[in-house]
Amino acid sequence: MPELPEVEVVRRGLERWVSGRTVAEAEVLHPRAVRRHLAGGEDFAARLEGRTFGPARRRGKYLWLPLDDPGYSVLGHLGMSGQLLVRPKDAPDEKHLRVRLRFADALDTELRFVDQRTFGGLSLHDNTPDGLPDVIAHIARDPLDPDFDDAAFPVALRAKRTTVKRALLDQSLISGVGNIYADEALWRSRLHYDRPTATLTRPAVVELLGHVRDVMNAALDVGGTSFDSLYVNVNGESGYFDRSLDAYGREDEPCHRCGTPMRRRPWMNRSSYFCPRCQRPPRTSA
DNA sequence: AGATCGCCCTGCTTGC
DNA sequence: TGCAAGCAGGGCGATC
């Protein structure tokens, strides 16, 4: 599934291959691919036609393209399986092609939104005064955002009456951290997922944030290399899945630090992977 | 009002 | 071998 680094790779691809182009025609092939648009896919398409895209932006796992129609943006989320592909016009349709945008220029490419599971989608929104689509105004900055407030984060996290992994996944506190990165950063920090945030010291939170950022940057370094030839897929499948993980998906495999078999625990309808020796559960937890 | 939970979806994997 | 259940997951909206 696309994580924040893949989404950033997609943003760069959109910036390079889509920003500045004018939509000639939009085609919605699956109703669920257009979200929160009561007027329906045809209206969504009609509102895009003739509009020119501005610079591609991202917050957490959300992507958006501002329109030259002032105050509006097209917002996208890839969900579990979404891809944004820049493809030759004559390339065969993908099996799960959901939305196609054709452009009013001489380039040979079109933009396609492909999504097997339709957890993702595109939508059209008013912008807030800071240029953010209004529906994501509540999404906190992500750790790769230069304006992320490092000093405020430990205060805000410790003030939450919750446990540390829940806090990492709380999009109003920090965005873009999914189940995989949460487990990886907790492993690096030797913290158990059920540790109450109130029991963490400020330095421990600073270290945790550093690990979140490191693991994302490492992934971006690997994944951000292969999108700059024509016709390449702007799709988040950038080689990043070769990344080496220390925690996620490693049940029964030896901890890369101490060799103890890693464990998996059901958690919030998901799974948490951890080393039972390096990441001791808090006393209040089972 | 802040926290919690069910649901959306489909292909792959697992187990009987 | 074939079928069914389980699993993956972010985010939204309903509910307490």
Side-chain angles (χ1 to χ4, degrees):
Chain A
M1 70 293 316
E3 295 284 337
L4 186 148
E6 287 89 350
V7 178
E8 173 58 18
V9 171
V10 173
R11 188 201 65 76
R12 293 175 185 180
L14 290 174
E15 179 83 20
R16 177 153 183 180
W17 301 111
V18 176
S19 291
R21 300 178 75 181
T22 300
V23 179
E25 184 190 357
E27 195 180 348
V28 177
L29 296 104
H30 190 297
R32 271 186 56 83
V34 170
R35 297 302 174 92
R36 311 195 211 198
H37 203 87
L38 293 177
E42 286 185 17
D43 182 79
F44 173 86
R47 286 169 184 268
L48 285 187
E49 286 163 16
R51 304 263 69 103
T52 301
F53 288 129
R57 299 188 58 190
R58 181 187 59 75
R59 174 169 289 191
K61 298 182 190 175
Y62 282 98
L63 287 163
W64 70 97
L65 288 161
L67 304 182
D68 61 346
D69 184 351
Y72 287 90
S73 290
V74 175
L75 179 69
H77 197 292
L78 301 178
M80 298 299 301
S81 54
Q83 298 175 297
L84 283 164
L85 308 177
V86 174
R87 297 285 285 149
K89 295 173 193 170
D90 59 3
D93 287 2
E94 289 74 10
K95 181 177 179 185
H96 301 293
L97 178 62
R98 308 305 191 194
V99 180
R100 183 202 324 271
L101 299 188
R102 295 193 173 93
F103 296 105
D105 54 44
L107 296 178
D108 185 41
T109 56
E110 58 186 35
L111 178 65
R112 299 179 182 181
F113 179 67
V114 176
D115 192 6
Q116 173 202 111
R117 282 188 264 184
T118 63
F119 268 43
L122 305 179
S123 50
L124 188 59
H125 303 284
D126 295 346
N127 295 334
T128 65
D130 358 329
L132 211 63
D134 55 12
V135 294
I136 62 165
H138 65 291
I139 303 288
R141 292 184 188 276
D142 63 70
L144 301 189
D145 187 327
D147 291 327
F148 186 88
D149 192 337
D150 280 36
F153 180 67
V155 179
L157 181 136
R158 293 165 70 201
K160 290 267 178 186
R161 297 258 206 266
T162 186
T163 49
V164 64
K165 185 169 173 180
R166 285 173 187 268
L168 285 178
L169 299 180
D170 182 341
Q171 301 295 299
S172 68
L173 191 61
I174 181 171
S175 69
V177 183
N179 201 40
I180 295 173
Y181 285 127
D183 281 1
E184 292 299 307
L186 290 168
W187 180 87
R188 291 183 178 211
S189 295
R190 304 179 194 229
L191 290 174
H192 189 276
Y193 57 89
D194 259 347
R195 180 80 177 266
T197 53
T199 68
L200 295 176
T201 64
R202 180 186 171 90
V205 180
V206 169
E207 183 187 332
L208 176 62
L209 175 60
H211 287 313
V212 170
R213 200 171 266 146
D214 286 350
V215 82
M216 284 183 175
N217 276 321
L220 188 55
D221 287 345
V222 174
T225 57
S226 61
F227 66 91
D228 62 349
S229 64
L230 193 56
Y231 306 149
V232 80
N233 291 347
V234 181
N235 66 4
E237 287 188 28
S238 46
Y240 170 53
F241 284 101
D242 297 338
R243 67 199 180 294
S244 62
L245 297 174
D246 291 308
Y248 184 81
R250 299 197 64 247
E251 183 178 22
D252 296 332
E253 294 175 43
C255 171
H256 285 159
R257 206 161 32 216
C258 74
T260 303
M262 301 286 290
R263 291 196 182 149
R264 179 175 74 91
R265 289 282 179 274
W267 184 85
M268 299 261 295
N269 292 323
R270 286 172 180 72
S271 294
S272 279
Y273 296 89
F274 67 107
C275 171
R277 182 172 174 193
C278 298
Q279 298 167 266
R280 296 296 173 93
R283 280 190 295 274
T284 52
S285 168

